Amino acid sequence: MKERSVLLSRFRAWINVTAPAAVLAAIAALVLTCPLDDRLFTHLAAGDRILERHGVPHTEEFSYTAYGLPWTDLSWLYQAGVAGVRRMGGLGAVGGLHAVAWVVLFAALFARGRRFVPAPCRAALVLAAAVGCAPWLRPGPEVVSWGLLLLALLLLERAGDEEALRRRVLVWGVLPGLVLLWVNLHQAFLLALLATAFFAVDLGLESFGRGARASGRSTALMVAAADLAFSVALQCGATLLNPFGARALRLPFDTVLDPLGANALLGRIFDDWRPLLSGGLGTPQWIAFGLLLLAAAAVILWRRGPGSLAEAALLLLLLAMALRSRRHLPPFLIAAAFIALRRRPARRSEAPPTAPGDNAGATATGVMAAANAPAWVGVACLVVAIGISVTALRPSGWPPATRPTPSFLLATDEFPDVAARFVDGANLPGQVFHSLNVSGSLLDTWKRDRHIFADERREPFQHGVLRSWLEAVGDAEEFERAADKYQITTILWPHRDAGRGAVLLRHLAAGGRWQLASIDTAASVWVREDAMSPALARDAPVGRGAPLAPLVPALTAQLAARPRRGPPVREADLASFFAAAGDPAGAEAFFRLAIDKAPGAPPLWLGLGEALAARGDRGGARDALDRADRLDRRDGRASAALGRLALEDGDLKEARRRLDAAARAGDERASTLAARGRLSEREERLDDARALLAAAIRSDGTDPEVLLAAAGFEGRHGDLEKALSLYERVRSRRPDDPVAAAGAATLLEGAGRAAEGLDIARGPAQGAASRAAVSGQVSPEDRRLLEVAARLARQAGETERAEEWQKAMGAVGGSLTPER
């Protein structure tokens, strides 16, 4: 042990240099590979508007759903600045400037405490802050705002140590000036006012303390508290010096307190707005969060004197904000690192004893161990920093958390530029519906010549548009109502959001009144039938309602013609698009292309297995799903899919093993709960089955497969009315659903209400017959529906209709089963 300590002490100087250098390199790697945020384009478009018209907009101008509503744009000065930088140097200059700003911010943190905290310990704390902030190290006004937060905290800290005149210069002059700048850059200026108020209260309470009275400092502390209180008043006055006046003070409170519930809606759309404890935050972020919280709390509790209570109150405030919305995690982590790097006065009990004798050796050993502790921290910091750099520059997860460097340069097909130009050049009438994750890009591309539906800016859309968007994406009928209400004739949907838009894409691909007008490797464009011009109809990639698989060769050629560095993101996104649109053949083709480039990504194998299962290749599906399960045992989705396959094959033992493994992995999706319910029914555990199916409906009461499973269970076990109500919930969203129509009609027939059953089956059966006439094929679900409908039509005396439905089956070699 002694030899290792001596060896470590020899390399201490080398460690003190290399550890901070490795941390700086790791921070640079994180900054240069953080995915570009769509919000940046909103700021750029608003900045262009400010520069063109030499004025700050007070009302919404970019969307058709909130046009003319009030908009308090407190980032106007930042927006004008970055728009000017883009005009001079392009998007690369904007991104490079932000990257430098992030590195400088963390370098300033590292420089703090250089006189009393060893370099390795400072490097470790700064690295923890950077790792915790990693998902948010992207271009935007936040980097400027958090830099101003550090400056405000530094001014308040310095003010407590200065004599009266210098303190008043800082808190009456410099600090209000900083707030004046801050209120025109970002809405987080309120943190300066709150921090100043906390320090004022802290000094006021300290002045009443026994120690302050005994030392005669009570009056001086009270005067300092009064100076800070007056500074709060001056800062409030400075916040009024902005284009929006008193509205600027209200906006931060509305954002944090969320009186209209906008955060909950944004949390369903954007990961940034989700609460910190809702899951999805990476393990490194949790570790960094915990380390910084403990370090800051230790410094606050250890230190005595003015400032400790104020720092604790500020930390608790920032912690509460972070727990409500994870986009507020960076200011908490940066402030925690700032506090943790504050000087901690040594206590008398820490002085090393100097008594001679046997204790001298132990004392020397203890002193050497204490001296080598920072070196051990530096070694650990060096190893972690190298690992972070390698992980950032060579991403291995899926979807990849980082991008090829530099991240502020647009990657090929990262945003739907081609689709946006197609919509703009086609001169389509009416409005466009789109994914919110590309709204900023569309806003910047169209430059107000064509308005967007909505975007992530919170204030213009508090009146319900975000809720309308969520309802339209998740329900085909709600979408059609929204299309009529807002005169929507065009849908532009990026492939990267295909999973969220699966219900909508399946509805569009089914035919109806929508047709695919254009598709590229980034997005698809769908146009309403009455808005399709002859030229658009002639050049359409496929016919209305036709299969999409023939598009695979052309899209594959586009991928080859437009190569992109890094993981196969485009191939995976295209596979998700085909899967969402109901074309498993196309999904299989692109999942295989993606797996060729990233064979170790479990979600790709999971997607391939689901596509193969949808195509009927159950053996291939099991192989792919088993590969996904072996690559990542912590993800229960593959086990759940294997359990559903085993359940369909009647292998109840294997189904139980797989579904239990999915449950242990935390898979509580509605589809998995429904599968466990069906398995419990097969095992004759009816109470468990009913409870699991009820839990599945509570988890997602709109999933048709879940509703159908619950309806079938209730129908088989005698609750006719409940089963019919569940079938009705499916039919209200999918009127032509063959499984729901056949199930409800069969139940009514068994209950002696055959006429009602025929009324339910009539429309869907006509749809099934039409599909058979167009494609020449009949799915098992359509075949079952036609069989039930033909039988009920015979009982009602409608023989011609029964023959028509029988011929629809016979056209592909189908035959009716014997009547019951």
Side-chain angles (χ1 to χ4, degrees):
M1 179 67 181
K2 183 177 180 180
E3 291 76 6
R4 281 189 296 174
S5 298
V6 171
L7 183 63
L8 190 64
S9 63
R10 292 179 180 176
F11 288 96
R12 190 182 306 155
W14 180 81
I15 293 171
N16 288 345
V17 174
T18 55
V23 168
L24 181 64
I27 292 172
L30 290 174
V31 170
L32 293 175
T33 57
C34 184
L36 194 64
D37 187 11
D38 179 71
R39 284 190 295 259
L40 175 65
F41 296 101
T42 304
H43 293 304
L44 290 169
D48 284 335
R49 157 67 177 79
I50 294 169
L51 294 179
E52 289 170 3
R53 301 190 181 181
H54 306 288
V56 180
H58 287 66
T59 58
E60 169 60 13
E61 300 180 4
F62 297 104
S63 67
Y64 58 84
T65 54
Y67 192 85
L69 292 179
W71 176 30
T72 308
D73 184 17
L74 295 186
S75 297
W76 70 271
L77 187 58
Y78 164 82
Q79 292 164 349
V82 294
V85 171
R86 182 171 69 167
R87 291 185 178 187
M88 292 186 293
L91 187 63
V94 174
L97 184 63
H98 284 86
V100 171
W102 278 115
V103 174
V104 168
L105 186 149
F106 288 109
L109 264 182
F110 177 77
R112 173 177 168 78
R114 59 187 179 277
R115 297 180 182 177
F116 42 85
V117 179
C121 297
R122 285 184 284 135
L125 288 171
V126 172
L127 181 62
V131 170
C133 296
W136 297 273
L137 300 178
R138 51 203 181 197
E142 290 78 13
V143 60
V144 182
S145 191
W146 308 148
L148 293 175
L149 173 61
L150 287 183
L151 185 56
L153 294 176
L154 184 62
L155 289 173
L156 290 169
E157 185 181 273
R158 291 283 300 275
D161 299 330
E162 299 288 351
E163 54 92 19
L165 179 59
R166 292 184 179 179
R167 179 179 66 244
R168 287 166 181 166
V169 170
L170 290 177
V171 300
W172 290 0
V174 179
L175 200 52
L178 182 144
V179 172
L180 173 61
L181 174 65
W182 200 347
V183 73
N184 292 286
L185 289 170
H186 194 251
Q187 65 183 21
F189 70 90
L190 188 64
L191 292 176
L193 279 72
L194 294 172
T196 307
F198 290 156
F199 274 85
V201 172
D202 185 290
L203 290 174
L205 294 176
E206 183 74 15
S207 67
F208 292 106
R210 182 181 304 174
R213 292 197 303 269
S215 63
R217 297 178 58 247
S218 180
T219 301
L221 289 172
M222 184 61 72
V223 171
D227 290 343
L228 288 175
F230 186 60
S231 176
V232 174
L234 292 176
Q235 292 174 44
C236 289
T239 60
L240 301 177
L241 300 179
N242 68 86
F244 306 94
R247 282 169 57 187
L249 270 173
R250 188 193 67 197
L251 181 64
F253 287 102
D254 285 345
T255 301
V256 174
L257 300 177
D258 192 26
L260 299 180
N263 284 0
L265 295 176
L266 288 167
R268 294 172 59 186
I269 304 169
F270 301 104
D271 185 73
D272 282 6
W273 287 92
R274 294 175 186 170
L276 192 61
L277 299 177
S278 65
L281 196 65
T283 301
Q285 279 78 46
W286 278 114
I287 295 175
F289 174 88
L291 289 176
L292 288 173
L293 179 62
L294 290 175
V299 170
I300 291 171
L301 294 173
W302 189 275
R303 188 167 59 85
R304 296 292 184 268
S308 59
L309 179 62
E311 290 172 346
L314 179 63
L315 208 62
L316 287 174
L317 171 68
L318 294 174
L319 177 60
M321 292 171 57
L323 292 174
R324 285 173 60 87
S325 173
R326 64 185 61 179
R327 73 196 314 262
H328 295 134
L329 185 59
F332 166 78
L333 296 174
I334 291 171
F338 180 88
I339 294 170
L341 288 168
R342 181 164 184 161
R343 179 162 56 100
R344 190 193 71 177
R347 295 182 173 182
R348 292 182 181 179
S349 60
E350 293 180 346
T354 57
D358 294 337
N359 290 335
T363 300
T365 303
V367 170
M368 181 176 292
N372 285 332
W376 285 113
V377 172
V379 171
C381 191
L382 179 63
V383 173
V384 172
I386 293 173
I388 290 172
S389 300
V390 172
T391 302
L393 297 174
R394 297 179 61 86
S396 58
W398 195 271
T402 59
R403 290 186 44 212
T405 57
S407 60
F408 48 76
L409 295 180
L410 290 179
T412 305
D413 298 326
E414 185 171 5
F415 292 98
D417 299 333
V418 175
R421 289 195 297 270
F422 172 85
V423 171
D424 199 33
N427 295 318
L428 291 163
Q431 306 294 352
V432 180
F433 188 80
H434 54 82
S435 164
L436 293 188
N437 283 317
V438 295
S439 53
S441 171
L442 298 177
L443 186 153
D444 186 51
T445 301
W446 289 333
K447 306 292 186 185
R448 299 183 309 281
D449 295 330
R450 180 179 288 275
H451 294 152
I452 63 171
F453 183 91
D455 63 81
E456 195 174 350
R457 289 170 301 154
R458 188 180 185 278
E459 192 185 27
F461 304 105
Q462 287 186 342
H463 62 288
V465 171
L466 291 179
R467 187 177 301 279
S468 298
W469 185 88
L470 284 166
E471 292 172 350
V473 169
D475 189 316
E477 288 193 1
E478 288 293 339
F479 166 74
E480 292 294 349
R481 281 193 282 270
D484 294 334
K485 175 181 178 181
Y486 295 111
Q487 299 180 358
I488 296 170
T489 61
T490 307
I491 299 98
L492 189 157
W493 203 265
H495 302 323
R496 70 181 188 181
D497 287 338
R500 178 179 292 279
V503 174
L504 175 61
L505 289 172
R506 182 68 63 94
H507 171 67
L508 298 174
R513 60 173 182 168
W514 300 91
Q515 181 172 352
L516 182 66
S518 174
I519 187 170
D520 57 77
T521 51
S524 58
V525 177
W526 306 78
V527 177
R528 203 167 67 188
E529 183 183 18
D530 56 1
M532 287 284 290
S533 66
L536 285 177
R538 182 183 64 249
D539 297 334
V542 294
R544 184 157 53 95
L548 301 177
L551 299 173
V552 171
L555 292 172
T556 304
Q558 289 183 32
L559 290 173
R562 295 165 55 85
R564 175 174 172 177
R565 293 188 301 126
V569 175
R570 296 182 300 169
E571 291 84 349
D573 290 344
L574 279 165
S576 298
F577 162 76
F578 279 93
D583 196 311
E588 177 191 353
F590 284 107
F591 272 126
R592 291 193 183 280
L593 283 177
I595 287 171
D596 288 342
K597 297 182 179 180
L604 298 181
W605 287 102
L606 174 63
L608 176 62
E610 292 175 343
L612 291 172
R615 294 197 67 186
D617 184 358
R618 304 178 71 83
R622 287 192 191 88
D623 292 341
L625 293 170
D626 188 63
R627 179 72 177 271
D629 187 52
R630 285 187 281 109
L631 286 170
D632 188 1
R633 298 286 187 185
R634 296 171 299 175
D635 187 353
R637 293 178 297 171
S639 291
L642 287 167
R644 288 193 295 269
L645 287 176
L647 181 60
E648 293 169 6
D649 293 340
D651 189 346
L652 302 187
K653 183 178 180 180
E654 176 67 7
R656 171 57 62 190
R657 184 175 74 87
R658 293 292 188 176
L659 290 174
D660 285 348
R664 287 193 299 271
D667 185 358
E668 296 293 331
R669 294 175 301 160
S671 58
T672 303
L673 291 171
R676 292 168 60 192
R678 294 197 303 270
L679 175 60
S680 296
E681 181 189 10
R682 297 281 295 275
E683 294 173 339
E684 298 183 355
R685 295 189 288 115
L686 299 185
D687 291 341
D688 290 345
R690 184 171 283 106
L692 287 166
L693 289 169
I697 293 175
R698 287 194 301 271
S699 175
D700 186 357
T702 63
D703 188 334
E705 301 305 319
V706 172
L707 294 173
L708 290 172
F713 173 83
E714 299 297 346
R716 287 188 294 271
H717 297 281
D719 196 335
L720 174 65
E721 295 305 323
K722 188 172 183 178
L724 290 175
S725 68
L726 291 168
Y727 280 129
E728 180 59 29
R729 288 173 64 176
V730 178
R731 293 174 54 246
S732 66
R733 295 176 178 273
R734 295 176 9 182
D736 287 338
D737 187 280
V739 178
T746 302
L747 286 177
L748 289 168
E749 180 188 11
R753 297 156 60 182
E756 294 179 45
L758 179 59
D759 290 340
I760 288 175
R762 190 187 305 277
Q766 284 298 111
S770 299
R771 289 191 292 271
V774 172
S775 64
Q777 298 179 352
V778 180
S779 67
E781 294 81 8
D782 282 349
R783 183 184 301 278
R784 172 62 179 163
L785 172 60
L786 290 169
E787 175 185 352
V788 172
R791 185 172 63 245
L792 291 175
R794 280 204 186 88
Q795 293 177 16
E798 300 182 17
T799 55
E800 293 183 1
R801 185 70 68 186
E803 292 296 329
E804 177 186 347
W805 290 331
Q806 183 176 359
K807 288 179 180 178
M809 298 173 61
V812 290
S815 59
L816 293 174
T817 58
E819 295 185 12
R820 291 178 295 177

